[in-house]
């Protein structure tokens, strides 16, 4: 995502955490929006080109692992790098909430209010990505197996491929990218930690 702000609604800061740090009750509320405030409207920042795609086209979403793969051992309460969910809709709303969409919309479009679908669900770690964490043996193993992209420096970015549904009509199609990195604590309680970003694609 960060490599091309044109794919974002506002080209702004990527980090949007739910529940937010500092909330007295560390849980996600039914009112929590799925998009950060600056991404709740479908507008494009000046100077940034919108991504255009045809129905049925493949789109690859890219992001840096930032140590969540190569230095996972630094987070002992995490059993993995988490999962990525990508939801799609032609009828996005500024007040769309995480609870109304995440783990509700499904692949056949019958979940929740039926406005959208789950396009893909995959691991945050695509099996090839890494960042330049030189103290990590995992980094060196990955780097030997998968060469970095010269345009990405010492990084090899993680990829999440999605396909725009063939029946989508021309217009803006919104992707909700949800990274669920929640933890299971020693007492069995689930500690929620979810990051999201929202992207508009012009379907032609």
């Amino acid at each position: 995502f960060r490599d091309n702000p044109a794919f974002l609604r506002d080209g702004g800061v990527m980090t949007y955490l739910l529940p937010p740090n500092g909330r007295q009750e560390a849980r996600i509320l039914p009112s929590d929006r799925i998009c950060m405030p600056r991404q709740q409207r479908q507008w494009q920042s000046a100077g940034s080109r919108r991504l255009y795609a045809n129905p049925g086209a493949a789109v690859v979403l890219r992001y840096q692992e930032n140590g969540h793969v190569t230095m996972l051992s630094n987070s002992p309460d995490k059993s993995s790098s988490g999962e990525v969910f990508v939801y799609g809709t032609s009828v996005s709303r500024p007040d769309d909430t995480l609870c109304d969409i995440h783990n509700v919309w499904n692949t056949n479009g019958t979940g929740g209010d039926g406005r959208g679908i789950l396009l893909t669900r995959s691991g945050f770690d695509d099996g090839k990505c890494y960042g330049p964490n030189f103290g990590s043996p995992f980094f060196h193993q990955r780097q030997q197996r998968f060469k970095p992209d010269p345009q990405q420096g010492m990084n090899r970015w993680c990829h999440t491929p999605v396909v725009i549904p063939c029946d989508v009509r021309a217009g803006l199609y919104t992707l909700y990218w949800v990274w669920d990195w929640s933890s299971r604590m020693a007492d069995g309680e689930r500690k929620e930690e979810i990051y999201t970003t929202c992207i508009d694609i012009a379907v032609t």
Side-chain angles (χ1 to χ4, degrees), residues 125-204:
D125 177 10
D126 65 3
K128 298 180 179 180
C129 59
Y130 54 81
N133 296 304
F134 299 103
S136 166
F138 197 72
F139 159 70
H140 294 286
Q141 294 168 10
R142 282 265 171 109
Q143 189 184 45
Q144 289 177 359
R145 292 183 61 196
F146 308 107
K147 298 303 180 184
D149 184 329
Q151 295 183 344
Q152 300 172 14
M154 295 295 294
N155 294 282
R156 186 182 176 100
W157 291 44
C158 303
H159 293 65
T160 299
V162 298
V163 175
I164 306 299
C166 293
D167 59 353
V168 171
R169 296 181 179 180
L172 290 182
Y173 190 71
T174 298
L175 303 184
Y176 294 137
W177 183 89
V178 178
W179 171 31
D180 192 334
W181 201 37
S182 300
S183 308
R184 186 67 63 182
M185 309 308 290
D187 58 4
E189 183 179 353
R190 174 181 164 88
K191 180 182 178 183
E192 295 175 315
E193 184 176 354
I194 293 178
Y195 300 84
T196 76
T197 196
C198 304
I199 309 155
D200 294 319
I201 296 174
V203 176
T204 57

Side-chain angles (χ1 to χ4, degrees), residues 75-97:
S75 303
D77 59 326
K78 306 289 186 181
S79 59
S80 74
S81 300
E83 288 188 289
V84 168
F85 302 74
V86 182
Y87 302 92
T89 180
S90 295
V91 197
S92 70
R93 297 173 180 167
D95 60 352
D96 275 340
T97 67

